[in-house]
């Protein structure tokens, strides 16, 4: 957290939760100190672009790139944690979540680290979706990326006297909005990519024949990836080891198709793999690296291919947040009328309890996603006696009250014999931030 | 610590049994609240605690403990708490050269190792100093959690051996208590974990099991009481 960063780098104010003796740690798990807030207020306490503290426990959060998913995860992904995406069967939709995460990093000016054994990281980045920005957002985006170059003098026509005033930072720097929307039918503009900072790890480029030093307990490939990540964290100061760095930033790590045969692992091929602990050990050490640095990681894994279910259970236990995707392609659910408009289900399997005894679990457990031409949307069902209403996560709390009103409506309408009701009684529902007609009742649940 | 849990177990910080192994078990839910309970309970009971924390960082436990009324930093400074932070140590072991043997030495070994160095660490932290006079009542070993050790390449037998040694030293020799958390991955057919769980269940005096329900927690207490009591979430 920013407060911990200022504590560690400079004066140790009394209100700070004491960090470990020795190397100052800039983990995001330290409580925001109230004392440093009194020191001088806004301008000193710079918040990192694209982050916000959680309302529940002050934990620093970053957006996953999908505002609906942020909502379901309790506000966002906590810095210092691992988000595990269990891939859908043919790996059609999980790369989208992966790309949303990376695109969000570019829009916020975060540093990226992309690791893949199948595709070159540069190619992955070329395919990122373009952000949907209104005019304010575009201006903020330019500011984020041109922060190093001196600001060009914007000619003020009306308030020309103010142009002569020195430019001041107003309060804590609340840079770009938290969470953006993306258009998957368009590619990210090249100038955004060019001004972003990223590191790529493409496994075939890192294969060497001998391993120097003692035989290590991790497989060569996983060890190289870990060393690569640790090297970036250390040299770029994400773990607070480089106190001269002026601007704190977040490192977003994305690892694609982890554990698949491309990574040299055989857990997807045999049931009794001798080296199954290599994967879990990797997860553990990665978690240790993340906890001691300002970074967040997304890993997509084809868990449906893993033969030994025990490994899946262990990997889930070792990850902080686990989201599973289940697509309807090729399954009998494709013909189920309830799922007609959707492409698959999303299962939020685990949410971390950080700095707290409880966590923000969403009340809605039935969630589905669909990929429209431009957007990936998530909707959930609110079951209320004999109707079910599909809604996006943002308005599910308001919806339970609304749904109970609808029950009375539907009872009167049922008598007229109408099956699928297109328009619910008047009020429009928010859907991913845009107004639209109510999605309509899906009919009686089976 | 949670007063309701103390009432359920019939214990108070002033009077609690010694020489016992308590097994914490969670299935389909997160049983870490039990760990937080026992940590704050034994610190309040003025015991010397050795906490092997393999899953979360020190600041996480500290912040939760403050909500429960104990300060881990103060306890550590006074010498009441010996804290082994697994996550940070694993990074040190992997990326920085270590001269002296580390309690988590097994992480470096390529083949399945044993937990001897960890046992030495526990024994050295909890053994009373030569003078024999300690301000603390009795030693306690707390482990969060043992299932992670299986993920780190150890076999169930090695972990059971470690627990046996710890029990011999801490419970029998030093008249202290041992509390350990194990996940229950029964439906995932995790055989190694099953062996560990069954073996420890037989050895322990008290098994606290947290199971996930749709609406909250339900705790079954085996050993002393056999009446399942439904509980709401500790919010």
């Amino acid at each position: 957290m920013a407060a911990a960063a200022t504590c560690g780098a400079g004066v140790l104010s009394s209100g700070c939760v004491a960090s470990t003796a020795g190397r100052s740690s800039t983990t995001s798990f330290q409580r925001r100190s109230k004392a440093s807030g009194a020191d001088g207020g806004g301008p000193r306490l710079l918040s990192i672009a694209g982050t916000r503290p959680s309302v529940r426990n002050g934990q620093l959060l970053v957006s996953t790139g999908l505002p609906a998913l942020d909502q379901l995860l309790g506000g966002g992904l906590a810095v210092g944690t691992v988000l595990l995406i269990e891939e859908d069967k043919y790996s059609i939709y999980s790369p989208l979540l992966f790309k949303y995460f990376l695109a969000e990093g570019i829009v916020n000016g975060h540093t990226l680290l992309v690791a893949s054994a199948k595709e070159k990281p540069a190619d992955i980045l070329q395919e990122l979706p373009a952000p949907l920005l209104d005019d304010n957002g575009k201006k903020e985006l330019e500011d984020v990326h041109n922060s190093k170059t001196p600001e060009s003098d914007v000619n003020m026509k009306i308030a020309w006297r103010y142009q002569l005033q020195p430019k001041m930072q107003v309060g804590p720097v609340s840079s770009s909005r938290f969470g953006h929307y993306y258009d998957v039918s368009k590619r990210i503009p090249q100038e955004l990519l060019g001004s972003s900072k990223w590191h790529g790890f493409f496994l075939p480029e890192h294969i060497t024949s001998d391993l120097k030093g003692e035989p290590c307990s991790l497989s060569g490939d996983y060890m190289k990836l870990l060393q690569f990540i640790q090297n970036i964290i250390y040299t770029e100061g994400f773990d607070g080891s480089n106190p001269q760095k002026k601007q704190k930033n977040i490192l977003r790590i994305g690892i694609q198709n982890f554990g698949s045969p491309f990574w040299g692992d055989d857990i997807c091929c045999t049931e009794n793999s001798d080296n199954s602990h290599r994967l879990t050990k990797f997860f553990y050490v990665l978690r240790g690296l993340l906890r001691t640095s300002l970074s967040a990681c997304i890993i997509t894994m084809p868990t449906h291919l893993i033969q030994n279910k025990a490994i899946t259970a262990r990997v889930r236990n070792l990850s902080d947040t686990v989201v599973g995707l289940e697509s309807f392609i090729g399954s009998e659910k494709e013909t189920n009328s309830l799922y007609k408009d959707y492409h698959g289900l999303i299962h939020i399997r685990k949410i971390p309890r950080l700095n707290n005894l409880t966590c923000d679990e969403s009340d809605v457990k039935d969630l589905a996603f669909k990929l429209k031409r431009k957007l990936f949307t998530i909707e959930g069902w609110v079951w209320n006696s004999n109707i079910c209403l599909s809604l996006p996560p943002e308005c599910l709390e308001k919806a339970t009250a609304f749904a109970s009103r609808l029950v009375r409506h539907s009872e009167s309408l049922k008598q007229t014999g109408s099956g699928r009701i297109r328009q619910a009684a008047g009020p429009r529902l928010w859907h991913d931030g845009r107004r639209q007609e109510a999605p309509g009742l899906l009919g009686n649940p089976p | 610590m949670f007063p309701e849990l103390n009432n359920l177990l019939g214990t108070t910080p002033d009077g609690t049994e010694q020489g016992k192994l308590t097994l914490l078990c969670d299935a389909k839910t997160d049983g870490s609240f039990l760990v937080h309970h026992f940590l704050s309970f034994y610190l309040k009971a003025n015991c010397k605690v050795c906490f092997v924390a393999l899953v979360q960082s020190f600041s996480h436990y500290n912040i939760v403990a403050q909500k429960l009324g104990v300060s881990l930093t103060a306890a550590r400074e006074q010498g009441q708490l010996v804290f082994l932070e697994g996550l940070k140590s694993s990074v040190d072991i992997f990326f920085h050269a270590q001269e002296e043997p580390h309690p988590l030495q097994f992480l470096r070994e390529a083949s399945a190792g044993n937990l001897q160095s960890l046992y030495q660490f526990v024994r050295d932290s909890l053994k009373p100093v030569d003078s024999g006079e300690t301000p603390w009542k009795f030693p306690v070993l707390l482990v969060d959690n043992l299932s992670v050790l299986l993920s780190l390449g150890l076999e169930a037998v090695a972990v059971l051996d470690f627990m046996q040694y710890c029990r011999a030293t801490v419970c029998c020799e030093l008249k202290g208590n041992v509390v350990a958390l194990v996940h229950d991955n029964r439906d995932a057919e995790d055989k190694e974990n099953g062996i560990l769980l069954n073996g420890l269940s037989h050895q322990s005096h008290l098994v606290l099991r947290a199971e996930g329900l749709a609406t909250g927690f339900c705790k079954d207490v085996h050993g002393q009481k056999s009446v399942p009591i439904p509980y709401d979430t500790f919010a």
Side-chain angles (χ1 to χ4, degrees):
Chain A
M1 291 216 355
T6 52
C7 277
V11 176
L12 195 70
S13 70
S14 56
C16 254
V17 174
S19 56
T20 56
R23 211 170 352 127
S24 67
S25 52
T26 55
T27 64
S28 61
F29 286 78
Q30 310 221 2
R31 185 175 288 173
R32 188 188 284 271
S33 154
K34 292 192 181 78
S36 68
D39 279 352
R44 229 159 335 125
L45 199 70
L46 286 177
S47 51
I48 310 173
T51 65
R52 71 173 175 196
S54 155
V55 290
R56 185 174 263 279
N57 53 18
Q59 178 67 40
L60 198 63
L61 301 174
V62 290
S63 169
T64 54
L66 263 182
L69 188 61
D70 289 340
Q71 190 93 9
L72 292 167
L73 298 182
L77 183 66
V79 173
T81 62
V82 174
L83 168 62
L84 176 71
I85 306 276
E86 299 187 357
E87 292 179 11
D88 52 303
K89 202 165 176 194
Y90 302 106
S91 193
I92 298 174
Y93 302 106
S94 50
L96 265 178
L97 294 188
F98 188 75
K99 286 173 187 158
Y100 274 123
F101 185 81
L102 296 176
E104 184 70 23
I106 290 191
V107 166
N108 287 317
H110 297 161
T111 307
L112 299 183
L113 197 163
V114 185
S116 173
K118 203 167 59 163
E119 278 179 82
K120 287 197 176 160
D123 296 339
I124 297 176
L125 288 176
Q126 289 294 325
E127 292 174 3
L128 293 186
L132 286 168
L133 295 168
D134 49 10
D135 288 330
N136 285 339
K138 284 193 186 112
K139 174 87 180 32
E140 278 175 7
L141 201 59
E142 284 166 18
D143 287 343
V144 165
H145 286 280
N146 298 336
S147 55
K148 290 180 193 146
T149 63
E151 286 180 15
S152 53
D153 285 329
V154 178
N155 282 325
M156 298 190 195
K157 291 198 178 77
I158 297 174
W160 56 272
R161 275 194 196 276
Y162 290 97
Q163 193 165 347
L164 305 169
Q165 299 287 332
K167 289 190 169 52
M168 268 182 36
Q169 269 179 344
V170 184
V173 176
S174 56
S175 344
S176 23
R177 214 164 72 213
F178 188 85
H180 297 83
Y181 294 100
Y182 296 89
D183 182 352
V184 291
S185 61
K186 295 199 189 117
R187 296 275 166 263
I188 194 166
Q190 284 300 316
E191 52 271 13
L192 261 186
L193 263 185
S195 59
S196 66
K197 189 146 189 225
W198 60 273
H199 305 274
F201 180 93
F202 184 46
L203 186 65
E205 287 169 4
H206 287 259
I207 289 182
T208 54
S209 45
D210 348 287
L211 214 54
K212 298 184 198 118
E214 52 190 77
C216 61
S217 50
L218 272 180
S219 84
D221 302 335
Y222 294 155
M223 192 63 199
K224 279 183 219 100
L225 176 58
L226 266 182
Q227 278 172 340
F228 184 79
I229 294 174
Q230 193 266 344
N231 192 36
I232 301 286
I233 289 178
Y234 179 69
T235 50
E236 303 210 355
F238 289 106
D239 57 354
S241 56
N242 193 358
Q244 284 89 23
K245 242 186 143 28
K246 295 166 282 201
Q247 186 77 11
K248 294 279 165 195
N249 204 354
I250 303 278
L251 174 68
R252 285 191 183 226
I253 305 173
I255 308 178
Q256 201 175 35
N257 284 128
F258 199 61
S260 70
F262 287 107
W263 285 94
D265 206 331
D266 59 352
I267 55 171
C268 294
C269 312
T270 73
E271 187 160 342
N272 293 318
S273 167
D274 291 330
N275 307 315
S276 56
H277 60 267
R278 289 181 183 169
L279 184 78
T280 42
K281 216 184 248 192
F282 173 90
F283 266 87
Y284 187 78
V285 181
L286 176 69
R287 194 176 179 175
L289 271 177
L290 293 178
R291 287 288 197 275
T292 50
S293 63
L294 281 173
S295 45
C297 182
I298 187 173
I299 303 185
T300 69
M301 245 181 107
T303 48
H304 57 96
L305 291 177
I306 296 180
Q307 304 289 314
N308 189 353
K309 296 298 162 212
I311 300 180
T312 317
R314 287 183 190 175
V315 163
R316 281 183 192 158
N317 280 332
L318 284 169
S319 314
D320 297 292
T321 314
V322 184
V323 172
L325 291 178
E326 180 191 341
S327 82
F328 293 148
I329 296 177
S331 82
E332 65 263 13
K333 290 184 179 147
E334 211 170 4
T335 49
N336 189 335
S337 59
L338 195 66
Y339 299 135
K340 210 155 73 83
D341 294 327
Y342 300 95
H343 291 121
L345 297 177
I346 283 197
H347 306 283
I348 310 283
R349 298 201 201 275
K350 184 176 170 188
I351 301 179
R353 291 161 194 241
L354 297 165
N355 299 344
N356 216 328
L357 282 166
T358 54
C359 58
D360 260 328
E361 271 186 36
S362 165
D363 290 326
V364 182
K365 304 290 180 196
D366 301 311
L367 297 156
F369 65 86
K370 63 181 164 209
L371 178 62
K372 299 198 264 200
R373 195 174 60 88
K374 289 188 177 184
L375 285 176
F376 183 95
T377 55
I378 303 178
E379 287 177 14
W381 279 281
V382 172
W383 298 88
N384 194 328
S385 63
N386 54 354
I387 65 148
C388 77
L389 187 68
S390 103
L391 293 164
E394 291 92 82
C395 55
L396 278 167
E397 283 125 46
K398 299 176 215 158
T400 40
F402 176 65
S404 54
R405 289 204 304 270
L406 266 175
V407 170
R408 278 167 276 166
H409 262 282
S410 76
E411 278 167 0
S412 58
L413 284 165
K414 264 202 298 198
Q415 282 153 18
T416 65
S418 52
R420 236 190 118 95
I421 303 165
R422 270 278 135 201
Q423 189 166 7
R428 289 151 196 253
L429 296 172
W430 285 97
H431 177 80
D432 269 359
R434 282 176 190 73
R435 277 196 171 205
Q436 71 169 39
E437 300 291 309
L441 302 173
L442 292 180
N444 292 328
Chain B
M1 63 174 183
F2 304 119
E4 302 92 348
L5 189 51
N6 284 339
N7 292 338
L8 198 68
L9 298 174
T11 57
T12 59
D14 299 322
T16 171
E17 292 179 314
Q18 291 180 233
K20 304 287 176 211
L21 167 63
T22 303
L23 181 68
L24 310 174
C25 179
D26 60 17
K28 292 185 198 160
T29 183
D30 190 357
S32 57
F33 70 97
L34 292 169
V35 174
H36 293 300
H37 162 84
F38 279 104
L39 178 63
S40 53
F41 177 82
Y42 281 118
L43 283 175
K44 277 191 185 160
N46 210 24
C47 299
K48 175 145 191 183
V49 178
C50 175
F51 188 14
V52 178
L54 299 172
V55 189
Q56 299 283 6
S57 59
F58 176 77
S59 32
H60 164 81
Y61 291 108
N62 194 20
I63 291 177
V64 180
Q66 279 174 350
K67 292 182 183 168
L68 296 176
V70 223
S71 165
L72 295 190
T73 31
R76 197 162 65 165
E77 276 159 22
Q78 290 165 10
Q80 188 187 8
L81 173 67
V82 178
F83 195 95
L84 176 64
E85 194 170 346
L87 288 173
K88 203 160 80 76
S89 311
S90 66
V91 173
D92 289 337
I93 290 176
F94 260 89
F95 298 112
H96 306 118
Q98 301 278 312
E99 281 94 22
E100 48 203 49
H102 194 274
L104 298 181
Q105 193 67 17
F106 64 91
L107 281 173
R108 293 187 120 172
E109 288 153 28
S111 58
N114 59 33
L115 286 165
Q116 196 172 355
S117 40
L118 185 59
Y119 164 68
Q120 301 276 14
F121 170 80
V122 169
R123 199 179 63 173
D124 295 336
S125 4
L126 290 181
K127 242 191 160 88
V129 288
D130 292 329
S131 61
E133 289 288 327
T134 51
W136 319 117
K137 262 201 236 163
F138 56 86
V140 174
L141 168 65
L142 187 57
V143 185
D144 179 19
N145 56 54
L146 290 175
S147 301
V148 164
L149 292 173
L150 295 177
S151 305
L152 292 175
L154 291 163
E155 292 179 347
V157 178
V159 183
L160 283 172
D161 284 344
F162 165 73
M163 287 306 288
Q164 179 67 16
Y165 272 85
C166 287
R167 212 159 62 91
T169 309
V170 179
C171 295
C172 303
E173 191 186 324
L174 300 173
K175 304 282 185 290
N177 284 348
V178 177
V179 182
L181 174 67
V182 179
H183 289 311
D184 185 0
N185 294 334
R186 203 162 286 170
D187 49 342
E189 299 152 17
D190 193 343
K191 292 199 197 97
E192 291 276 305
N193 202 48
I195 294 172
L196 179 64
L197 188 60
N198 287 335
L200 283 178
S201 307
H202 278 288
Q203 293 176 21
S204 43
H205 296 93
L206 178 64
V207 178
L208 283 174
R209 194 183 156 81
E211 285 185 10
L213 286 184
T215 52
F217 291 116
C218 168
K219 248 202 314 306
D220 294 325
V221 180
H222 303 268
Q224 288 190 340
K225 294 178 185 158
S226 55
V227 177
I229 299 174
Y231 252 64
D232 290 330
T233 319
F234 287 109

